[in-house]
Amino acid sequence: MNPLSIFVYYTRNKRKAFPVLGILTLAVFGISLTLVLTATIFDGVRGFVSPYYRFVVIEPNYNKKYYQLDSALRADVRQSKHLAVYAPVQTSYVSGTVLGIQTNFPIFGVSDELMPYLMNAAETTLLEGRLPTLREQEVALHDSLMKTRGLRVGDYVGREVNRDDNLSGKWQVVGVTGGSTVLNLVSLERLSNGRAPNEIILIPKAGAMQQLVADLAALETERAVIQTPGYWNRWVERTLSQYDTLVSAINVVIIAVLSLGVGLLNMIYFRQRTGEFGVLAGIGFSRVFLMRRVTLEALVLTLVAWILGMLLSLVIYQVLDVLVFAPQGTHLSILNVRLLSGTLPVPIFVWLFSTVTIMWQLWRLDPVTVIDRRD
């Protein structure tokens, strides 16, 4: 091996390379853990609102003490050329969990005739059983919700069974839906007890959701809440921004402490190598050459540690996803932009801090003093 290779020192001094590699690898794993868990929670929240990207629900603005939709608004909504279906709907909620965090998922009460059309609009299929009817108190729940609650076809949900359910009464699960949209269904006549519901559901024509939303934007009023995709995007952003800020602050502290610790450790190693750099400087190698060598050493070490940390993380998360979370109806969000953008600062800042501290020592290095000391 070339004696001036950047790999010489750590190849001959593995015990000094392993602590740095180990610390950085575990740090990348630790930071990736917070990012994967929060990304999974975010995906779960988006699953909660996923039906509202397929259709629009309009309800009275109960917060403003309006309890009925204005007849003029109903008439204006019907005028949209991009509207395929206008129908009454009533929304209730059943509880579920995302990584142990309780979340209420909407269950839509629609007419028996509308259910197949709604499933088609939401790109949802019936995986097991059948759709609920008005004959009995029945529901069809999404596969992910069934798994998180440990339910099977024939089991019961509702407030009489689980106090966390907003859905009043006792309802038997007769069907399981599947697909990227978490769609839960119940018979409107059963849910409303024959009373006229206060909400309406709007299903756009194929590929016309944006045009329908534009039409509805002109009908905004304080009397009603028009639950378009944009409305739920704003809700998701408000809900998740606090978690995102907290996780980012924790990761910044971790990276700062890590950079300081590894930088000081590398500076200790440099002091043990003062003789090596003093001799190299004494025989004619410039400080620029020595600084470039130190910079490359630190860069290679931190990049190797980042790659090892990412590989360790991916393997562990994949195993956990298959063996633990998937059977419970949750999938870890493993490969995502957050994971890369959140862990890349680890090698970057550790490398910068390590390089700056060592370059400062190199700049102050006096090769004559080092050589005299060696003599």
Side-chain angles (χ1 to χ4, degrees), residues 33-46 99 331-334 336 338-339:
L33 178 62
T34 64
L35 296 171
V36 167
L37 292 180
T38 52
T40 302
I41 294 173
F42 293 177
D43 286 348
V45 173
R46 294 186 182 96
L99 291 182
H331 285 281
L332 292 177
S333 181
I334 300 174
N336 54 72
R338 286 173 56 84
L339 184 60

PDB file of all heavy atoms in Angstrom, residues 33-46 99 331-334 336 338-339:
ATOM      1  N   LEU A  33     -34.101   6.331  13.253  1.00  0.00           N
ATOM      2  CA  LEU A  33     -35.230   5.751  13.991  1.00  0.00           C
ATOM      3  C   LEU A  33     -36.315   6.799  14.225  1.00  0.00           C
ATOM      4  O   LEU A  33     -37.506   6.538  13.991  1.00  0.00           O
ATOM      5  CB  LEU A  33     -34.740   5.179  15.319  1.00  0.00           C
ATOM      6  CG  LEU A  33     -35.819   4.575  16.225  1.00  0.00           C
ATOM      7  CD1 LEU A  33     -36.499   3.402  15.540  1.00  0.00           C
ATOM      8  CD2 LEU A  33     -35.206   4.138  17.559  1.00  0.00           C
ATOM      9  N   THR A  34     -35.919   7.985  14.674  1.00  0.00           N
ATOM     10  CA  THR A  34     -36.915   9.041  14.884  1.00  0.00           C
ATOM     11  C   THR A  34     -37.579   9.441  13.571  1.00  0.00           C
ATOM     12  O   THR A  34     -38.793   9.690  13.531  1.00  0.00           O
ATOM     13  CB  THR A  34     -36.255  10.286  15.517  1.00  0.00           C
ATOM     14  OG1 THR A  34     -35.279  10.837  14.608  1.00  0.00           O
ATOM     15  CG2 THR A  34     -35.564   9.938  16.824  1.00  0.00           C
ATOM     16  N   LEU A  35     -36.797   9.457  12.491  1.00  0.00           N
ATOM     17  CA  LEU A  35     -37.355   9.861  11.191  1.00  0.00           C
ATOM     18  C   LEU A  35     -38.319   8.817  10.644  1.00  0.00           C
ATOM     19  O   LEU A  35     -39.373   9.157  10.095  1.00  0.00           O
ATOM     20  CB  LEU A  35     -36.216  10.109  10.201  1.00  0.00           C
ATOM     21  CG  LEU A  35     -35.279  11.264  10.549  1.00  0.00           C
ATOM     22  CD1 LEU A  35     -34.070  11.268   9.624  1.00  0.00           C
ATOM     23  CD2 LEU A  35     -36.012  12.591  10.466  1.00  0.00           C
ATOM     24  N   VAL A  36     -37.968   7.545  10.782  1.00  0.00           N
ATOM     25  CA  VAL A  36     -38.838   6.476  10.279  1.00  0.00           C
ATOM     26  C   VAL A  36     -40.139   6.420  11.082  1.00  0.00           C
ATOM     27  O   VAL A  36     -41.236   6.271  10.509  1.00  0.00           O
ATOM     28  CB  VAL A  36     -38.107   5.120  10.332  1.00  0.00           C
ATOM     29  CG1 VAL A  36     -39.082   3.968  10.127  1.00  0.00           C
ATOM     30  CG2 VAL A  36     -37.022   5.074   9.269  1.00  0.00           C
ATOM     31  N   LEU A  37     -40.043   6.551  12.396  1.00  0.00           N
ATOM     32  CA  LEU A  37     -41.248   6.489  13.226  1.00  0.00           C
ATOM     33  C   LEU A  37     -42.174   7.665  12.943  1.00  0.00           C
ATOM     34  O   LEU A  37     -43.391   7.489  12.813  1.00  0.00           O
ATOM     35  CB  LEU A  37     -40.866   6.454  14.705  1.00  0.00           C
ATOM     36  CG  LEU A  37     -40.159   5.178  15.182  1.00  0.00           C
ATOM     37  CD1 LEU A  37     -39.832   5.271  16.671  1.00  0.00           C
ATOM     38  CD2 LEU A  37     -40.996   3.938  14.906  1.00  0.00           C
ATOM     39  N   THR A  38     -41.607   8.875  12.841  1.00  0.00           N
ATOM     40  CA  THR A  38     -42.460  10.025  12.548  1.00  0.00           C
ATOM     41  C   THR A  38     -43.036   9.948  11.139  1.00  0.00           C
ATOM     42  O   THR A  38     -44.202  10.301  10.927  1.00  0.00           O
ATOM     43  CB  THR A  38     -41.680  11.344  12.709  1.00  0.00           C
ATOM     44  OG1 THR A  38     -40.463  11.277  11.942  1.00  0.00           O
ATOM     45  CG2 THR A  38     -41.338  11.599  14.155  1.00  0.00           C
ATOM     46  N   ALA A  39     -42.254   9.465  10.175  1.00  0.00           N
ATOM     47  CA  ALA A  39     -42.777   9.312   8.811  1.00  0.00           C
ATOM     48  C   ALA A  39     -43.918   8.297   8.781  1.00  0.00           C
ATOM     49  O   ALA A  39     -44.896   8.467   8.051  1.00  0.00           O
ATOM     50  CB  ALA A  39     -41.659   8.885   7.861  1.00  0.00           C
ATOM     51  N   THR A  40     -43.802   7.236   9.588  1.00  0.00           N
ATOM     52  CA  THR A  40     -44.862   6.231   9.664  1.00  0.00           C
ATOM     53  C   THR A  40     -46.125   6.829  10.276  1.00  0.00           C
ATOM     54  O   THR A  40     -47.241   6.562   9.817  1.00  0.00           O
ATOM     55  CB  THR A  40     -44.391   5.025  10.489  1.00  0.00           C
ATOM     56  OG1 THR A  40     -43.203   4.482   9.895  1.00  0.00           O
ATOM     57  CG2 THR A  40     -45.460   3.951  10.533  1.00  0.00           C
ATOM     58  N   ILE A  41     -45.934   7.646  11.324  1.00  0.00           N
ATOM     59  CA  ILE A  41     -47.089   8.321  11.924  1.00  0.00           C
ATOM     60  C   ILE A  41     -47.731   9.272  10.922  1.00  0.00           C
ATOM     61  O   ILE A  41     -48.961   9.338  10.794  1.00  0.00           O
ATOM     62  CB  ILE A  41     -46.655   9.081  13.194  1.00  0.00           C
ATOM     63  CG1 ILE A  41     -46.216   8.082  14.275  1.00  0.00           C
ATOM     64  CG2 ILE A  41     -47.787   9.965  13.718  1.00  0.00           C
ATOM     65  CD1 ILE A  41     -45.613   8.735  15.497  1.00  0.00           C
ATOM     66  N   PHE A  42     -46.908   9.995  10.175  1.00  0.00           N
ATOM     67  CA  PHE A  42     -47.427  10.923   9.169  1.00  0.00           C
ATOM     68  C   PHE A  42     -48.223  10.164   8.104  1.00  0.00           C
ATOM     69  O   PHE A  42     -49.279  10.624   7.664  1.00  0.00           O
ATOM     70  CB  PHE A  42     -46.287  11.693   8.506  1.00  0.00           C
ATOM     71  CG  PHE A  42     -45.575  12.649   9.431  1.00  0.00           C
ATOM     72  CD1 PHE A  42     -44.481  13.366   8.987  1.00  0.00           C
ATOM     73  CD2 PHE A  42     -45.987  12.817  10.742  1.00  0.00           C
ATOM     74  CE1 PHE A  42     -43.815  14.249   9.837  1.00  0.00           C
ATOM     75  CE2 PHE A  42     -45.334  13.689  11.594  1.00  0.00           C
ATOM     76  CZ  PHE A  42     -44.236  14.409  11.141  1.00  0.00           C
ATOM     77  N   ASP A  43     -47.708   9.009   7.687  1.00  0.00           N
ATOM     78  CA  ASP A  43     -48.430   8.196   6.701  1.00  0.00           C
ATOM     79  C   ASP A  43     -49.768   7.729   7.264  1.00  0.00           C
ATOM     80  O   ASP A  43     -50.768   7.644   6.542  1.00  0.00           O
ATOM     81  CB  ASP A  43     -47.590   6.990   6.287  1.00  0.00           C
ATOM     82  CG  ASP A  43     -46.437   7.375   5.369  1.00  0.00           C
ATOM     83  OD1 ASP A  43     -46.431   8.523   4.875  1.00  0.00           O
ATOM     84  OD2 ASP A  43     -45.538   6.537   5.153  1.00  0.00           O
ATOM     85  N   GLY A  44     -49.770   7.404   8.568  1.00  0.00           N
ATOM     86  CA  GLY A  44     -51.019   6.990   9.194  1.00  0.00           C
ATOM     87  C   GLY A  44     -52.041   8.106   9.219  1.00  0.00           C
ATOM     88  O   GLY A  44     -53.235   7.875   8.982  1.00  0.00           O
ATOM     89  N   VAL A  45     -51.582   9.316   9.488  1.00  0.00           N
ATOM     90  CA  VAL A  45     -52.490  10.469   9.477  1.00  0.00           C
ATOM     91  C   VAL A  45     -53.012  10.709   8.066  1.00  0.00           C
ATOM     92  O   VAL A  45     -54.207  10.997   7.873  1.00  0.00           O
ATOM     93  CB  VAL A  45     -51.765  11.717  10.017  1.00  0.00           C
ATOM     94  CG1 VAL A  45     -52.638  12.956   9.843  1.00  0.00           C
ATOM     95  CG2 VAL A  45     -51.404  11.530  11.486  1.00  0.00           C
ATOM     96  N   ARG A  46     -52.131  10.563   7.078  1.00  0.00           N
ATOM     97  CA  ARG A  46     -52.584  10.741   5.694  1.00  0.00           C
ATOM     98  C   ARG A  46     -53.559   9.632   5.298  1.00  0.00           C
ATOM     99  O   ARG A  46     -54.446   9.849   4.466  1.00  0.00           O
ATOM    100  CB  ARG A  46     -51.384  10.767   4.758  1.00  0.00           C
ATOM    101  CG  ARG A  46     -50.486  11.988   4.966  1.00  0.00           C
ATOM    102  CD  ARG A  46     -49.388  12.059   3.925  1.00  0.00           C
ATOM    103  NE  ARG A  46     -48.509  13.202   4.163  1.00  0.00           N
ATOM    104  CZ  ARG A  46     -47.356  13.136   4.815  1.00  0.00           C
ATOM    105  NH1 ARG A  46     -46.925  11.959   5.255  1.00  0.00           N
ATOM    106  NH2 ARG A  46     -46.625  14.210   5.008  1.00  0.00           N
ATOM    107  N   LEU A  99     -48.869   3.035  15.241  1.00  0.00           N
ATOM    108  CA  LEU A  99     -47.724   2.910  16.151  1.00  0.00           C
ATOM    109  C   LEU A  99     -48.139   3.174  17.597  1.00  0.00           C
ATOM    110  O   LEU A  99     -47.444   3.843  18.362  1.00  0.00           O
ATOM    111  CB  LEU A  99     -46.612   3.874  15.748  1.00  0.00           C
ATOM    112  CG  LEU A  99     -45.891   3.565  14.431  1.00  0.00           C
ATOM    113  CD1 LEU A  99     -44.781   4.575  14.188  1.00  0.00           C
ATOM    114  CD2 LEU A  99     -45.325   2.158  14.437  1.00  0.00           C
ATOM    115  N   HIS A 331     -47.323  -0.288   8.129  1.00  0.00           N
ATOM    116  CA  HIS A 331     -46.062  -0.491   7.415  1.00  0.00           C
ATOM    117  C   HIS A 331     -45.136   0.671   7.731  1.00  0.00           C
ATOM    118  O   HIS A 331     -45.521   1.834   7.624  1.00  0.00           O
ATOM    119  CB  HIS A 331     -46.298  -0.581   5.904  1.00  0.00           C
ATOM    120  CG  HIS A 331     -46.900  -1.884   5.476  1.00  0.00           C
ATOM    121  ND1 HIS A 331     -46.162  -3.038   5.333  1.00  0.00           N
ATOM    122  CD2 HIS A 331     -48.184  -2.209   5.174  1.00  0.00           C
ATOM    123  CE1 HIS A 331     -46.950  -4.025   4.948  1.00  0.00           C
ATOM    124  NE2 HIS A 331     -48.185  -3.544   4.851  1.00  0.00           N
ATOM    125  N   LEU A 332     -43.913   0.340   8.140  1.00  0.00           N
ATOM    126  CA  LEU A 332     -42.927   1.382   8.410  1.00  0.00           C
ATOM    127  C   LEU A 332     -42.575   2.108   7.121  1.00  0.00           C
ATOM    128  O   LEU A 332     -42.383   1.480   6.086  1.00  0.00           O
ATOM    129  CB  LEU A 332     -41.663   0.778   9.028  1.00  0.00           C
ATOM    130  CG  LEU A 332     -41.790   0.195  10.444  1.00  0.00           C
ATOM    131  CD1 LEU A 332     -40.470  -0.422  10.878  1.00  0.00           C
ATOM    132  CD2 LEU A 332     -42.220   1.271  11.432  1.00  0.00           C
ATOM    133  N   SER A 333     -42.496   3.416   7.215  1.00  0.00           N
ATOM    134  CA  SER A 333     -42.082   4.220   6.059  1.00  0.00           C
ATOM    135  C   SER A 333     -40.562   4.253   6.051  1.00  0.00           C
ATOM    136  O   SER A 333     -39.932   5.116   6.670  1.00  0.00           O
ATOM    137  CB  SER A 333     -42.652   5.638   6.166  1.00  0.00           C
ATOM    138  OG  SER A 333     -42.284   6.411   5.063  1.00  0.00           O
ATOM    139  N   ILE A 334     -39.952   3.301   5.338  1.00  0.00           N
ATOM    140  CA  ILE A 334     -38.503   3.084   5.439  1.00  0.00           C
ATOM    141  C   ILE A 334     -37.729   3.967   4.475  1.00  0.00           C
ATOM    142  O   ILE A 334     -36.905   4.790   4.877  1.00  0.00           O
ATOM    143  CB  ILE A 334     -38.177   1.596   5.206  1.00  0.00           C
ATOM    144  CG1 ILE A 334     -38.877   0.742   6.266  1.00  0.00           C
ATOM    145  CG2 ILE A 334     -36.673   1.363   5.261  1.00  0.00           C
ATOM    146  CD1 ILE A 334     -38.737  -0.747   6.056  1.00  0.00           C
ATOM    147  N   ASN A 336     -37.573   6.973   2.318  1.00  0.00           N
ATOM    148  CA  ASN A 336     -38.254   8.224   2.027  1.00  0.00           C
ATOM    149  C   ASN A 336     -37.241   9.368   2.048  1.00  0.00           C
ATOM    150  O   ASN A 336     -36.111   9.216   2.519  1.00  0.00           O
ATOM    151  CB  ASN A 336     -39.386   8.481   3.024  1.00  0.00           C
ATOM    152  CG  ASN A 336     -38.899   8.426   4.466  1.00  0.00           C
ATOM    153  OD1 ASN A 336     -38.195   9.332   4.913  1.00  0.00           O
ATOM    154  ND2 ASN A 336     -39.261   7.374   5.195  1.00  0.00           N
ATOM    155  N   ARG A 338     -37.279  12.055   3.794  1.00  0.00           N
ATOM    156  CA  ARG A 338     -36.966  12.489   5.161  1.00  0.00           C
ATOM    157  C   ARG A 338     -35.787  11.714   5.729  1.00  0.00           C
ATOM    158  O   ARG A 338     -34.947  12.280   6.450  1.00  0.00           O
ATOM    159  CB  ARG A 338     -38.187  12.295   6.066  1.00  0.00           C
ATOM    160  CG  ARG A 338     -39.301  13.284   5.852  1.00  0.00           C
ATOM    161  CD  ARG A 338     -40.517  12.889   6.681  1.00  0.00           C
ATOM    162  NE  ARG A 338     -40.178  12.761   8.089  1.00  0.00           N
ATOM    163  CZ  ARG A 338     -40.139  13.764   8.953  1.00  0.00           C
ATOM    164  NH1 ARG A 338     -40.404  14.987   8.539  1.00  0.00           N
ATOM    165  NH2 ARG A 338     -39.846  13.561  10.218  1.00  0.00           N
ATOM    166  N   LEU A 339     -35.724  10.411   5.429  1.00  0.00           N
ATOM    167  CA  LEU A 339     -34.649   9.584   5.971  1.00  0.00           C
ATOM    168  C   LEU A 339     -33.293  10.043   5.438  1.00  0.00           C
ATOM    169  O   LEU A 339     -32.316  10.142   6.198  1.00  0.00           O
ATOM    170  CB  LEU A 339     -34.894   8.116   5.614  1.00  0.00           C
ATOM    171  CG  LEU A 339     -33.909   7.100   6.179  1.00  0.00           C
ATOM    172  CD1 LEU A 339     -33.908   7.131   7.694  1.00  0.00           C
ATOM    173  CD2 LEU A 339     -34.226   5.695   5.680  1.00  0.00           C
TER     174      LEU A 339
END
